[in-house]
Amino acid sequence: MIIPPLLLKSLATATRVAALTGAGISAESGVPTFRGANGLWKEMRAEELASMEGFLKNPALVWEWYAHRRAILQTVQPNAGHRALVDLERLYPGLVVITQNVDGLHRRAGSSRVYELHGNIERNSCTACGEPHPSTAVALRDGRPMCTRCGGLVRPDVVWFGELLPEEEWEESVRASRAADLFLSIGTSGLVFPAASLPLVARDAGAVVVEVNPEESPLTVAADVSLRGPAGEVLPALVEAARGVTRSPRA
Ligand code: APR
């Protein structure tokens, strides 16, 4: 893969790197994306499965769907894209991964600074008393996920449409985007806000913004460099390029 001179220069001088990731980085692990060819939202209605209204209307259906997604995650592994971000973190200590993914694959790969903007599918809590519930410890009554402490409905700790992002994760993500001198936007369609605003926050603060996506996206216009290809191929090439440049970190 040809790495453009602007990116080679940025790899040589960068000291603060942040990476925003979306479903695309997990696609090569076998985790379906949302809006891709066989994307989840092509087959199913987001408002029915990823909203509080949908959950209250049919908690058994929504719980079953998350159980199905958790079962997929039991069978998959982080891929070369996730692992490349761990390698980049060794080259750029303090690298921050800001993910929209709820699959936990960045941590499983070994990334140490991960902000999960949309939550994590392995965590659950009671909608009434807040009691945390590991997925395996939820009582089902007619398929409805019930709290073992108060009998309330248990929901996955993921951010549904119309809900606020976790405050600390969001604030830290904005901080890291503003501070970055190199910002990677990997495997996201850039359609869901406020996460999709972060590459613009970074660009406006002076970072070199790099998009990694086999396809054009609304973020392409905001990117200084667009690398067209799957993350599992592009990111290892980026690591090789970073290892090959003579580092002269900007003061
Ligand atoms: N490598 C890199 N990018 C890829 C790959 C790959 N192997 N395969 C697909 N892509 C790209 C697609 O071209 C698309 O632009 O990844 C993007 C995935 O887009 P979406 O499916 O819309 O996923 P994402 O951007 O993460 O969605 C954002 O929407 O549904 C909500 O909460 C959910 O976090 C999610 C949010």
Side-chain angles (χ1 to χ4, degrees), residues 102-120:
V102 297
D103 57 30
L105 290 178
H106 285 299
R107 285 218 176 87
R108 276 171 61 185
S111 285
S112 62
R113 299 183 68 187
V114 181
Y115 297 127
E116 295 174 317
L117 286 183
H118 294 166
N120 187 303

Side-chain angles (χ1 to χ4, degrees), residues 212-227:
V212 177
N213 195 322
E215 293 168 19
E216 278 216 1
S217 78
L219 282 172
T220 304
V221 285
D224 299 292
V225 174
S226 283
L227 302 176

Side-chain angles (χ1 to χ4, degrees), residues 21-25 27-28 33-36 41 100-101 118 159 161 186-192 212-217 229-232:
T21 68
I25 198 169
E28 292 154 86
T33 66
F34 293 94
R35 295 169 189 83
W41 297 153
Q100 299 167 84
N101 302 342
H118 294 166
V159 177
F161 288 102
I186 306 160
T188 181
S189 57
L191 294 171
V192 176
V212 177
N213 195 322
E215 293 168 19
E216 278 216 1
S217 78

Side-chain angles (χ1 to χ4, degrees), residues 33 44 52 157 174 200 206 226:
T33 66
M44 284 160 269
M52 183 52 100
D157 278 354
V174 171
L200 312 176
S226 283

Side-chain angles (χ1 to χ4, degrees), residues 9-82:
K9 183 162 170 269
S10 180
L11 290 169
T13 57
T15 53
R16 295 178 302 280
V17 181
L20 172 70
T21 68
I25 198 169
S26 295
E28 292 154 86
S29 294
V31 182
T33 66
F34 293 94
R35 295 169 189 83
N38 308 314
L40 293 169
W41 297 153
K42 287 270 180 334
E43 321 272 323
M44 284 160 269
R45 293 160 48 82
E47 56 280 10
E48 266 176 31
L49 294 166
S51 71
M52 183 52 100
E53 295 73 32
F55 178 63
L56 294 176
K57 210 164 47 183
N58 194 339
L61 171 71
V62 172
W63 186 257
E64 194 192 325
W65 185 61
Y66 280 93
H68 163 69
R69 292 176 63 191
R70 279 193 287 266
I72 291 174
L73 292 179
Q74 306 288 326
T75 67
V76 304
Q77 296 299 329
N79 63 59
H82 298 105

